[in-house]
């Protein structure tokens, strides 16, 4: 099934820290692997190639790849090894507990691109309790310094805000014609195939060591 990119143009979500961390790890892997291939002796270059073939797709899968795209017709969830497209009419719930989850057509899917930070949520809850209790918001160390005007309002944790937006999109569009249809799942063979090939190559090199 080929999707029109405009279907998912309204909202997109991904973890900036995960992407940054993944790019950093990829850089380190490329540096170490490249050095082993250029300067290594004996079987070292072959081991380096197999290790990179195995590791790089997995690093990409868990850091750079995860994303959620939501538009007028459906939402597309790009997880490490699968892509799930769920028309709004099939969405039963979107929730954020210890992780963000989509329930569609009776099945549950994790939203890897929207991580839940309990620390951020607790910080927001403390801020909102102070506002509700009539206390002045804190903006500097030990509560010193002037508070910005927006600090006087209640906040929402990033994961909870994303889930709220997705729920609103679902409620707004679920009765439209473009929001009908079944949930579709596609495996990320572009990730799985090279990682499996690298794992097999490492195994064979280990057997023949």
């Amino acid at each position: 099934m080929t999707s029109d990119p405009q279907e998912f143009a309204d909202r997109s979500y991904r973890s900036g820290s995960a992407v940054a961390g993944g790019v950093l790890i990829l850089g380190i892997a490329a540096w170490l692997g490249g050095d082993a291939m250029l300067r290594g002796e004996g079987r070292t270059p072959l081991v380096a190639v197999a290790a990179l073939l195995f590791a790089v797709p997995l690093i990409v899968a868990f850091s750079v790849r995860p994303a959620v795209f939501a538009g007028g017709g459906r939402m597309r969830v790009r997880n490490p090894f699968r892509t799930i497209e769920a028309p709004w009419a099939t969405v039963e719930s979107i929730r954020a507990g210890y992780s963000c989850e989509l329930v569609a057509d009776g099945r549950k899917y994790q939203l890897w691109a929207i991580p839940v930070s309990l620390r951020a949520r607790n910080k927001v809850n403390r801020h909102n309790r102070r506002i509700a209790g009539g206390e002045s918001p804190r903006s500097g160390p030990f509560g010193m310094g002037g508070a910005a005007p927006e600090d006087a309002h209640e906040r929402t944790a990033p994961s909870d805000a994303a889930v709220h937006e997705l729920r609103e999109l679902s409620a707004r569009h679920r009765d439209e014609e473009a929001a009908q249809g079944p949930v579709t799942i596609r495996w990320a063979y572009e990730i799985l195939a090279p990682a499996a090939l690298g794992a097999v190559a490492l195994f064979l090199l280990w057997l023949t060591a």
Side-chain angles (χ1 to χ4, degrees), residues 97-98 116-123:
Y98 292 104
V116 172
S117 170
L118 297 181
R119 181 174 178 274
R121 183 180 287 167
N122 290 335
K123 183 178 180 180

Side-chain angles (χ1 to χ4, degrees), residues 12-184:
S12 64
Y13 306 88
R14 63 195 316 162
S15 171
S17 59
V19 172
V23 170
L24 177 62
I25 295 172
L26 286 172
I28 294 173
W31 173 47
L32 295 176
D35 184 70
M37 285 187 288
L38 292 174
R39 301 185 183 185
E41 299 178 355
R43 293 156 54 92
T44 301
L46 289 176
V47 173
V49 171
L52 287 174
L53 193 60
F54 172 69
V56 168
L58 296 182
I59 296 170
V60 171
F62 286 99
S63 60
V64 179
R65 174 180 161 79
V68 172
F69 305 94
R74 63 192 65 215
M75 65 183 293
R76 181 174 65 188
V77 180
R78 199 168 67 192
N79 280 343
F81 302 122
R82 298 189 300 176
T83 297
I84 301 100
E85 291 191 8
W88 292 121
T90 67
V91 173
E92 298 166 23
S93 69
I94 304 170
R95 56 200 184 201
Y98 292 104
S99 64
C100 290
E101 298 173 342
L102 161 70
V103 180
D105 265 354
R107 298 186 64 182
K108 182 171 68 176
Y109 308 95
Q110 300 292 323
L111 303 182
W112 283 76
I114 310 177
V116 172
S117 170
L118 297 181
R119 181 174 178 274
R121 183 180 287 167
N122 290 335
K123 183 178 180 180
V124 165
N125 289 339
R126 288 195 298 271
H127 171 84
N128 292 342
R129 283 196 297 269
R130 287 197 297 268
I131 298 300
E135 298 180 31
S136 299
R138 303 173 184 175
S139 61
F142 310 107
M144 300 179 66
E150 59 269 19
D151 288 336
H153 301 286
E154 290 192 354
R155 300 174 183 169
T156 305
S159 58
D160 296 330
V163 166
H164 179 70
E165 289 180 359
L166 290 171
R167 286 173 178 167
E168 284 189 335
L169 282 172
S170 177
R172 187 185 312 156
H173 298 295
R174 64 183 303 109
D175 295 327
E176 297 176 3
E177 183 179 352
Q180 311 306 308
V183 174
T184 60

